[in-house]
Amino acid sequence: NQQISECHCNCPAVIGHMIEHNTKKAINGFVIPEFFRCKTRTTGAVVKKTISKLLEHHPILRANIVDGKYYINATSNTNNYYFEERNIDIIPEKKDNNINQIVVYLYSCIDVFSGPSLAVILLHCPDTDYILTACSHLVSDNFSKEIFKRDFITVFSQITEHKKIQLPIKTNSYLQYSN
């Protein structure tokens, strides 16, 4: 009984931002955005707990780059991710300039050099809640994005259903894989 699902939004800002990054040498690299639709109302505390568990399980999400090398921050670091909660009067699945502005704003919160590499906004809309996440491409690729989505949905659902949080055992860390 999943409490959250992936939501495909028509956000021209996402495509526009990717094109901008392709044509300019952007300092933060590509950003991979995701929308999730909550099946029931949620709170910032639930979303923060979900993100905290994901940061524990996937250390690369806590990474910063210094002098061309990756450094993994401690889980206690308060700059590991950006979080914001907003009340809005629009529906994210429809083309809307306000959503585009929120997406572009979310991108601006990511900085792999000084942190964070992950940004999250909880949107309280009239009909339901949506969670927008963005992660720097320097700490996540398309394969990793699928793992992040799966784990995000799993952890969020387990928290909202008051179940024990269980994620699949990791096969290799990013560091092991890269060496």
Side-chain angles (χ1 to χ4, degrees):
N1 184 15
Q2 299 277 324
Q3 296 295 316
I4 193 170
S5 63
E6 189 179 348
C7 172
H8 298 285
C9 294
N10 297 318
C11 282
V14 173
I15 295 165
H17 195 73
M18 292 297 206
I19 291 168
E20 180 182 339
H21 276 290
N22 274 327
T23 56
K24 295 179 184 176
K25 294 193 176 180
I27 213 165
N28 289 333
F30 295 100
V31 181
I32 303 170
E34 291 296 328
F35 265 103
F36 298 96
R37 179 185 359 222
C38 301
K39 293 186 179 175
T40 59
R41 293 292 183 177
T42 193
T43 65
V46 168
V47 176
K48 287 179 179 181
K49 185 173 181 181
T50 300
I51 296 298
S52 294
K53 291 296 178 185
L54 289 172
L55 290 171
E56 286 175 22
H57 193 70
H58 299 290
I60 193 65
L61 293 172
R62 301 189 313 262
N64 289 112
I65 299 174
V66 179
D67 296 327
K69 296 181 182 178
Y70 279 102
Y71 290 91
I72 306 296
N73 295 315
T75 54
S76 60
N77 186 335
T78 57
N79 197 28
N80 279 331
Y81 69 96
Y82 173 82
F83 177 79
E84 185 176 321
E85 201 167 349
R86 289 188 185 190
N87 294 313
I88 61 173
D89 295 330
I90 52 180
I91 301 170
E93 285 125 331
K94 297 190 176 177
K95 290 182 180 179
D96 188 292
N97 196 37
N98 290 325
I99 287 296
N100 294 339
Q101 291 172 3
I102 292 170
V103 170
V104 170
Y105 172 75
L106 190 66
Y107 290 136
S108 72
C109 298
I110 295 174
D111 185 344
V112 295
F113 298 106
S114 61
S117 297
L118 173 67
V120 180
I121 295 181
L122 171 58
L123 301 173
H124 297 291
C125 301
D127 61 338
T128 190
D129 295 336
Y130 295 85
I131 302 167
L132 173 61
T133 66
C135 182
S136 169
H137 189 63
L138 295 174
V139 299
S140 178
D141 57 16
N142 280 337
F143 182 78
S144 303
K145 180 176 90 163
E146 295 305 314
I147 294 169
F148 174 82
K149 285 191 314 193
R150 178 201 67 203
D151 289 352
F152 186 94
I153 291 168
T154 299
V155 172
F156 185 89
S157 297
Q158 290 169 345
I159 290 170
T160 56
E161 294 169 4
H162 306 287
K163 293 181 178 178
K164 181 180 177 186
I165 298 172
Q166 294 182 309
L167 287 168
I169 297 172
K170 293 187 287 185
T171 54
N172 283 320
S173 72
Y174 182 79
L175 184 59
Q176 291 167 327
Y177 172 77
S178 65
N179 288 331

